[in-house]
């Protein structure tokens, strides 16, 4: 693929030269070879971006005060500009993080546009004022949002934040992960083409240290972060000290509960997607498989065959089902968990060696999918987020035991229940302590709130709930006479 090079940032509605010569070099997950670079933001660049966002928000005739139909029109222009770049976005994401290209096209290339259209429509239909007896309750945008986004679904998860924040009337400083920055350049091009007003969306790629500076910046009103639980805890600590609003979507170790009447063969594709989407580099992935004793060996054989039949290869090849890890660091991390699972006594049924025979991809960060049987639910591979294609299969005795084991986790982001009996599955799903859960599949719905409980975060993205995250309610107490006059 072509080398992607950017020399400037999107700040205040235009390309701006960086304050330093530092750069972020990007390599291909498939080959380990360079595929592009962007400037690395410094504190001075963050200052400039926050100042631009602050001016844009504080402007008395600016974005926060536009009529919903006018904001919606601008948001729809951005949706059109992103749609025109969908293939390029998908290609860059696939090359950077190892996401299979078909997945990248379905998610990274199309979901951001859909989210923008969804929230543009929502603000056109949602009144900002609500008269409750003698009180008028109105909602106003919170202000400047620091959006810190991850590398695994860099565009989708960015727009989980950007679409509702912009629709609500906020302005944004976005810091993409340093592991996925090239697609952010394409987004910046789309923002400029769409003609969004200066300062509404500023994009400054940088590392963790600069991210911490943005989180505590005095010009920021709200923080929205997606990433690891330890970083999220640090952000929450800082936000608490500053009394700053924060939304956190963090890690997970979701349980896939297979009930004893589940139809495995008919759900192969759905089970693969629920546990191994994006090579397991997915926060909601059901990587803890809870299997009934009566069918335990059958479930182990099923997942072993499912992963062994999956095609491993170049993420840019449409035939690939499992691509590489995002980096050599992540590859080594996943392999260390596989070694830990073996040393703790679990039985590895497949995935003992790195994939071979990948011509031209010797420098890629590939890990063969690993299936562990005879896993104790309290062990490391059943409790810690691995973020790779490693599944731990845990035995349970009855539905109550399955629910107990599913809830025996510090996380609560996703999960799934598999059964031929809808009512039974729904009954189990209701008792699992998780922000989201699927029945016979797992598919995030833009209409519904998405987020976690426990160490998986706080706050909600998607649905009408996301708009509330970026607004502040204000109660205006009216006199009885004024209320009567309004009623008349």
């Amino acid at each position: 693929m072509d080398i992607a090079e950017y020399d400037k940032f999107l700040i205040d509605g235009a390309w701006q030269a960086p304050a330093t010569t530092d750069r972020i070099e990007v390599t291909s997950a498939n080959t380990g070879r360079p595929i592009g670079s962007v400037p690395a933001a410094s504190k001075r660049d963050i200052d400039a971006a926050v100042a631009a966002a602050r001016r844009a928000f504080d402007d008395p005739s600016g974005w926060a005060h536009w009529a919903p139909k006018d904001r919606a029109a601008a948001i729809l222009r951005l949706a059109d500009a992103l749609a025109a770049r969908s293939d390029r976005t998908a290609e860059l994401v696939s090359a950077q993080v190892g996401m299979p290209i078909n997945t990248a096209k379905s998610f990274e290339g199309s979901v951001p546009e859909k989210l923008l259209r969804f929230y543009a429509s929502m603000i056109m239909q949602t009144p900002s004022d609500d008269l409750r007896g003698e009180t008028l309750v109105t909602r106003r945008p919170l202000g400047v949002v620091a959006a810190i986004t991850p590398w695994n679904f860099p565009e989708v998860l960015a727009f989980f934040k950007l679409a509702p924040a912009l629709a609500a009337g906020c302005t944004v400083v976005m810091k993409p992960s340093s592991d996925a920055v090239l697609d952010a350049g394409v987004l910046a091009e789309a923002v400029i083409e769409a003609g969004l007003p200066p300062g509404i969306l500023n994009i400054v790629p940088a590392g963790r240290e600069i991210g911490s500076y943005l989180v505590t910046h005095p010009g920021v009103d709200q923080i929205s972060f997606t990433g690891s639980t330890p970083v999220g805890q640090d952000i929450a600590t800082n936000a608490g000290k500053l009394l700053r609003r924060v939304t956190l979507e963090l890690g997970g170790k979701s349980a896939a509960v297979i009930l004893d009447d589940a139809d495995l063969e008919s759900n192969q594709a759905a089970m693969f997607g629920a546990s191994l989407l994006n090579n397991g580099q997915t926060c909601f992935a059901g990587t803890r498989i809870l299997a009934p004793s009566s069918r335990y060996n059958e479930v182990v054989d099923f997942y072993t065959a499912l992963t062994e039949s999956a095609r491993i290869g170049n993420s840019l090849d449409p035939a690939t089902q499992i691509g590489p890890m995002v980096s050599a660091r992540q590859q080594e991390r996943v392999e260390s968990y596989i070694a830990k699972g073996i040393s703790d006594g679990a039985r590895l049924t497949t995935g003992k060696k790195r994939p071979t025979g990948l011509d031209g991809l010797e420098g890629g960060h590939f890990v063969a999918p690993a299936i562990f049987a005879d896993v104790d639910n309290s062990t490391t591979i059943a409790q810690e987020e691995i973020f790779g294609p490693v599944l731990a299969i845990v035995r349970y005795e009855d539905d109550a035991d399955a629910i107990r084991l599913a809830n025996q986790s510090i996380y609560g982001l996703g999960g799934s229940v598999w059964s031929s009996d809808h009512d039974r599955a729904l009954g189990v799903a209701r008792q699992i302590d998780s922000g989201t859960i699927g029945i016979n599949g797992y598919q995030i719905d833009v209409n519904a709130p998405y987020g976690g409980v426990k160490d998986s975060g706080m706050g909600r993205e998607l649905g009408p709930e996301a708009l509330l995250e970026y607004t502040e309610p204000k109660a205006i107490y009216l006199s009885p006479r004024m209320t009567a006059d309004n009623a008349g």
Side-chain angles (χ1 to χ4, degrees), residues 341-378:
I342 294 171
S343 68
D344 283 348
R347 175 166 56 93
L348 187 65
T349 68
T350 188
K352 294 180 175 66
K353 298 179 180 179
R354 286 186 180 180
T356 58
L358 302 176
D359 293 341
L361 305 176
E362 289 79 11
H365 314 310
F366 292 90
V367 174
I371 304 297
F372 279 101
D374 304 328
V375 178
D376 186 303
N377 195 57
S378 65

Short mmCIF file of all heavy atoms in Angstrom, two decimals, residues 341-378:
data_model
loop_
_atom_site.label_atom_id
_atom_site.label_comp_id
_atom_site.label_asym_id
_atom_site.label_seq_id
_atom_site.Cartn_x
_atom_site.Cartn_y
_atom_site.Cartn_z
N GLY A 341 -1.00 -19.65 30.76
CA GLY A 341 -2.08 -20.63 30.82
C GLY A 341 -1.55 -22.05 30.91
O GLY A 341 -2.06 -22.87 31.69
N ILE A 342 -0.51 -22.34 30.14
CA ILE A 342 0.10 -23.68 30.17
C ILE A 342 0.73 -23.95 31.53
O ILE A 342 0.54 -25.01 32.13
CB ILE A 342 1.15 -23.80 29.05
CG1 ILE A 342 0.46 -23.74 27.67
CG2 ILE A 342 1.93 -25.10 29.18
CD1 ILE A 342 1.43 -23.64 26.51
N SER A 343 1.48 -22.96 32.06
CA SER A 343 2.15 -23.16 33.34
C SER A 343 1.16 -23.30 34.49
O SER A 343 1.46 -23.94 35.51
CB SER A 343 3.12 -22.01 33.61
OG SER A 343 2.42 -20.80 33.83
N ASP A 344 -0.05 -22.72 34.35
CA ASP A 344 -1.06 -22.82 35.40
C ASP A 344 -1.87 -24.11 35.31
O ASP A 344 -2.78 -24.33 36.12
CB ASP A 344 -2.01 -21.62 35.34
CG ASP A 344 -1.39 -20.36 35.93
OD1 ASP A 344 -0.33 -20.47 36.58
OD2 ASP A 344 -1.95 -19.26 35.73
N GLY A 345 -1.57 -24.95 34.30
CA GLY A 345 -2.18 -26.26 34.24
C GLY A 345 -3.35 -26.42 33.29
O GLY A 345 -3.94 -27.50 33.21
N ALA A 346 -3.71 -25.37 32.55
CA ALA A 346 -4.78 -25.52 31.56
C ALA A 346 -4.26 -26.32 30.36
O ALA A 346 -3.05 -26.37 30.10
CB ALA A 346 -5.27 -24.15 31.11
N ARG A 347 -5.19 -26.93 29.64
CA ARG A 347 -4.82 -27.79 28.49
C ARG A 347 -5.00 -27.02 27.19
O ARG A 347 -6.10 -26.63 26.84
CB ARG A 347 -5.69 -29.05 28.50
CG ARG A 347 -5.50 -29.97 27.30
CD ARG A 347 -6.14 -31.33 27.55
NE ARG A 347 -7.55 -31.23 27.88
CZ ARG A 347 -8.54 -31.31 26.98
NH1 ARG A 347 -8.26 -31.45 25.70
NH2 ARG A 347 -9.81 -31.23 27.38
N LEU A 348 -3.91 -26.81 26.48
CA LEU A 348 -3.95 -26.09 25.21
C LEU A 348 -4.29 -27.07 24.10
O LEU A 348 -3.54 -28.01 23.82
CB LEU A 348 -2.58 -25.44 24.93
CG LEU A 348 -2.48 -24.51 23.73
CD1 LEU A 348 -3.37 -23.28 23.91
CD2 LEU A 348 -1.03 -24.08 23.51
N THR A 349 -5.44 -26.88 23.45
CA THR A 349 -5.88 -27.81 22.42
C THR A 349 -5.39 -27.40 21.03
O THR A 349 -5.28 -28.24 20.14
CB THR A 349 -7.41 -27.92 22.38
OG1 THR A 349 -7.98 -26.68 21.93
CG2 THR A 349 -7.95 -28.28 23.76
N THR A 350 -5.12 -26.11 20.85
CA THR A 350 -4.60 -25.63 19.57
C THR A 350 -3.93 -24.29 19.82
O THR A 350 -4.26 -23.58 20.78
CB THR A 350 -5.70 -25.49 18.51
OG1 THR A 350 -5.11 -25.20 17.23
CG2 THR A 350 -6.69 -24.38 18.86
N GLY A 351 -2.95 -23.93 18.95
CA GLY A 351 -2.28 -22.65 19.09
C GLY A 351 -0.94 -22.73 19.79
O GLY A 351 -0.51 -21.78 20.44
N LYS A 352 -0.26 -23.85 19.64
CA LYS A 352 1.02 -24.03 20.34
C LYS A 352 2.17 -23.24 19.72
O LYS A 352 3.13 -22.89 20.39
CB LYS A 352 1.39 -25.52 20.38
CG LYS A 352 0.45 -26.39 21.21
CD LYS A 352 0.89 -27.84 21.18
CE LYS A 352 0.02 -28.69 22.12
NZ LYS A 352 -1.36 -28.77 21.65
N LYS A 353 2.08 -22.97 18.41
CA LYS A 353 3.19 -22.31 17.71
C LYS A 353 2.67 -21.12 16.91
O LYS A 353 1.50 -21.04 16.57
CB LYS A 353 3.89 -23.29 16.76
CG LYS A 353 4.53 -24.49 17.46
CD LYS A 353 5.18 -25.42 16.45
CE LYS A 353 5.83 -26.63 17.11
NZ LYS A 353 6.44 -27.54 16.12
N ARG A 354 3.59 -20.21 16.59
CA ARG A 354 3.24 -19.11 15.70
C ARG A 354 2.87 -19.65 14.33
O ARG A 354 3.40 -20.68 13.90
CB ARG A 354 4.41 -18.14 15.56
CG ARG A 354 4.64 -17.26 16.77
CD ARG A 354 5.72 -16.22 16.49
NE ARG A 354 5.94 -15.38 17.66
CZ ARG A 354 6.82 -14.39 17.71
NH1 ARG A 354 7.57 -14.12 16.63
NH2 ARG A 354 6.96 -13.67 18.80
N PRO A 355 1.99 -18.97 13.61
CA PRO A 355 1.63 -19.42 12.25
C PRO A 355 2.85 -19.46 11.35
O PRO A 355 3.76 -18.63 11.47
CB PRO A 355 0.63 -18.36 11.79
CG PRO A 355 0.13 -17.73 13.03
CD PRO A 355 1.26 -17.77 14.01
N THR A 356 2.89 -20.42 10.46
CA THR A 356 3.99 -20.55 9.50
C THR A 356 3.43 -20.51 8.08
O THR A 356 2.22 -20.57 7.86
CB THR A 356 4.75 -21.87 9.72
OG1 THR A 356 3.83 -22.97 9.59
CG2 THR A 356 5.38 -21.90 11.10
N GLY A 357 4.32 -20.39 7.12
CA GLY A 357 3.92 -20.40 5.73
C GLY A 357 3.28 -19.13 5.25
O GLY A 357 2.58 -19.12 4.23
N LEU A 358 3.49 -18.03 5.96
CA LEU A 358 2.93 -16.74 5.55
C LEU A 358 3.98 -15.98 4.75
O LEU A 358 4.68 -15.11 5.26
CB LEU A 358 2.50 -15.94 6.79
CG LEU A 358 1.47 -16.62 7.70
CD1 LEU A 358 1.20 -15.77 8.93
CD2 LEU A 358 0.17 -16.87 6.95
N ASP A 359 4.10 -16.33 3.49
CA ASP A 359 5.15 -15.77 2.63
C ASP A 359 5.06 -14.25 2.56
O ASP A 359 3.99 -13.68 2.32
CB ASP A 359 5.03 -16.35 1.22
CG ASP A 359 5.34 -17.83 1.18
OD1 ASP A 359 5.99 -18.32 2.13
OD2 ASP A 359 4.93 -18.50 0.22
N GLY A 360 6.20 -13.60 2.77
CA GLY A 360 6.27 -12.15 2.70
C GLY A 360 5.81 -11.45 3.96
O GLY A 360 5.84 -10.23 4.04
N LEU A 361 5.35 -12.24 4.95
CA LEU A 361 4.82 -11.64 6.17
C LEU A 361 5.64 -12.06 7.40
O LEU A 361 5.13 -12.05 8.52
CB LEU A 361 3.36 -12.05 6.36
CG LEU A 361 2.41 -11.74 5.21
CD1 LEU A 361 1.01 -12.28 5.51
CD2 LEU A 361 2.35 -10.23 4.93
N GLU A 362 6.90 -12.41 7.16
CA GLU A 362 7.73 -12.91 8.26
C GLU A 362 7.91 -11.88 9.37
O GLU A 362 8.12 -12.24 10.53
CB GLU A 362 9.09 -13.34 7.72
CG GLU A 362 9.07 -14.60 6.87
CD GLU A 362 8.58 -14.36 5.45
OE1 GLU A 362 8.46 -13.16 5.06
OE2 GLU A 362 8.33 -15.33 4.73
N GLY A 363 7.81 -10.61 9.06
CA GLY A 363 7.96 -9.57 10.09
C GLY A 363 6.64 -9.18 10.73
O GLY A 363 6.61 -8.27 11.57
N GLY A 364 5.55 -9.85 10.35
CA GLY A 364 4.23 -9.53 10.90
C GLY A 364 4.06 -10.04 12.32
O GLY A 364 4.80 -10.92 12.78
N HIS A 365 3.06 -9.52 12.99
CA HIS A 365 2.87 -9.80 14.42
C HIS A 365 1.77 -10.86 14.63
O HIS A 365 0.78 -10.62 15.32
CB HIS A 365 2.53 -8.52 15.15
CG HIS A 365 3.40 -7.35 14.78
ND1 HIS A 365 4.78 -7.43 14.77
CD2 HIS A 365 3.09 -6.09 14.36
CE1 HIS A 365 5.28 -6.25 14.40
NE2 HIS A 365 4.28 -5.44 14.13
N PHE A 366 1.97 -12.03 14.06
CA PHE A 366 0.94 -13.05 14.04
C PHE A 366 0.98 -13.95 15.28
O PHE A 366 2.06 -14.30 15.78
CB PHE A 366 1.07 -13.90 12.78
CG PHE A 366 0.75 -13.16 11.52
CD1 PHE A 366 1.74 -12.47 10.82
CD2 PHE A 366 -0.55 -13.11 11.04
CE1 PHE A 366 1.45 -11.76 9.66
CE2 PHE A 366 -0.86 -12.40 9.90
CZ PHE A 366 0.14 -11.72 9.20
N VAL A 367 -0.20 -14.31 15.74
CA VAL A 367 -0.37 -15.27 16.83
C VAL A 367 -1.45 -16.25 16.40
O VAL A 367 -2.54 -15.84 15.98
CB VAL A 367 -0.81 -14.58 18.14
CG1 VAL A 367 -1.13 -15.62 19.21
CG2 VAL A 367 0.25 -13.61 18.63
N ALA A 368 -1.15 -17.54 16.49
CA ALA A 368 -2.16 -18.54 16.16
C ALA A 368 -3.23 -18.54 17.25
O ALA A 368 -2.91 -18.49 18.44
CB ALA A 368 -1.54 -19.93 16.05
N PRO A 369 -4.52 -18.58 16.87
CA PRO A 369 -5.58 -18.63 17.89
C PRO A 369 -5.35 -19.80 18.85
O PRO A 369 -5.04 -20.91 18.42
CB PRO A 369 -6.84 -18.82 17.07
CG PRO A 369 -6.50 -18.27 15.72
CD PRO A 369 -5.06 -18.58 15.51
N ALA A 370 -5.51 -19.54 20.13
CA ALA A 370 -5.25 -20.55 21.17
C ALA A 370 -6.54 -20.86 21.92
O ALA A 370 -7.26 -19.95 22.34
CB ALA A 370 -4.19 -20.05 22.14
N ILE A 371 -6.81 -22.14 22.08
CA ILE A 371 -7.97 -22.60 22.84
C ILE A 371 -7.47 -23.36 24.07
O ILE A 371 -6.69 -24.31 23.94
CB ILE A 371 -8.88 -23.51 22.00
CG1 ILE A 371 -9.32 -22.81 20.72
CG2 ILE A 371 -10.08 -23.98 22.83
CD1 ILE A 371 -10.16 -21.57 20.94
N PHE A 372 -7.92 -22.94 25.24
CA PHE A 372 -7.56 -23.62 26.48
C PHE A 372 -8.77 -24.35 27.05
O PHE A 372 -9.85 -23.76 27.19
CB PHE A 372 -7.06 -22.61 27.52
CG PHE A 372 -5.62 -22.22 27.34
CD1 PHE A 372 -5.29 -21.02 26.74
CD2 PHE A 372 -4.61 -23.04 27.79
CE1 PHE A 372 -3.97 -20.64 26.59
CE2 PHE A 372 -3.27 -22.68 27.64
CZ PHE A 372 -2.94 -21.48 27.03
N ALA A 373 -8.60 -25.62 27.37
CA ALA A 373 -9.62 -26.41 28.07
C ALA A 373 -9.19 -26.64 29.51
O ALA A 373 -8.03 -26.36 29.87
CB ALA A 373 -9.84 -27.74 27.35
N ASP A 374 -10.11 -27.16 30.31
CA ASP A 374 -9.84 -27.47 31.72
C ASP A 374 -9.31 -26.23 32.45
O ASP A 374 -8.33 -26.30 33.20
CB ASP A 374 -8.85 -28.63 31.84
CG ASP A 374 -9.32 -29.87 31.10
OD1 ASP A 374 -10.56 -30.08 31.03
OD2 ASP A 374 -8.47 -30.62 30.58
N VAL A 375 -9.98 -25.11 32.23
CA VAL A 375 -9.56 -23.84 32.83
C VAL A 375 -10.34 -23.58 34.11
O VAL A 375 -11.57 -23.67 34.13
CB VAL A 375 -9.77 -22.67 31.85
CG1 VAL A 375 -9.37 -21.35 32.49
CG2 VAL A 375 -8.99 -22.90 30.55
N ASP A 376 -9.62 -23.26 35.16
CA ASP A 376 -10.24 -22.81 36.41
C ASP A 376 -10.60 -21.34 36.26
O ASP A 376 -9.76 -20.53 35.84
CB ASP A 376 -9.27 -23.01 37.57
CG ASP A 376 -9.90 -22.71 38.92
OD1 ASP A 376 -10.39 -21.58 39.11
OD2 ASP A 376 -9.89 -23.59 39.80
N ASN A 377 -11.83 -20.96 36.59
CA ASN A 377 -12.30 -19.59 36.38
C ASN A 377 -11.51 -18.55 37.17
O ASN A 377 -11.57 -17.36 36.87
CB ASN A 377 -13.79 -19.49 36.74
CG ASN A 377 -14.42 -18.22 36.20
OD1 ASN A 377 -14.38 -17.98 35.00
ND2 ASN A 377 -15.00 -17.42 37.07
N SER A 378 -10.75 -18.98 38.18
CA SER A 378 -9.99 -18.03 38.99
C SER A 378 -8.58 -17.77 38.47
O SER A 378 -7.88 -16.90 38.99
CB SER A 378 -9.91 -18.52 40.44
OG SER A 378 -9.17 -19.73 40.51
#
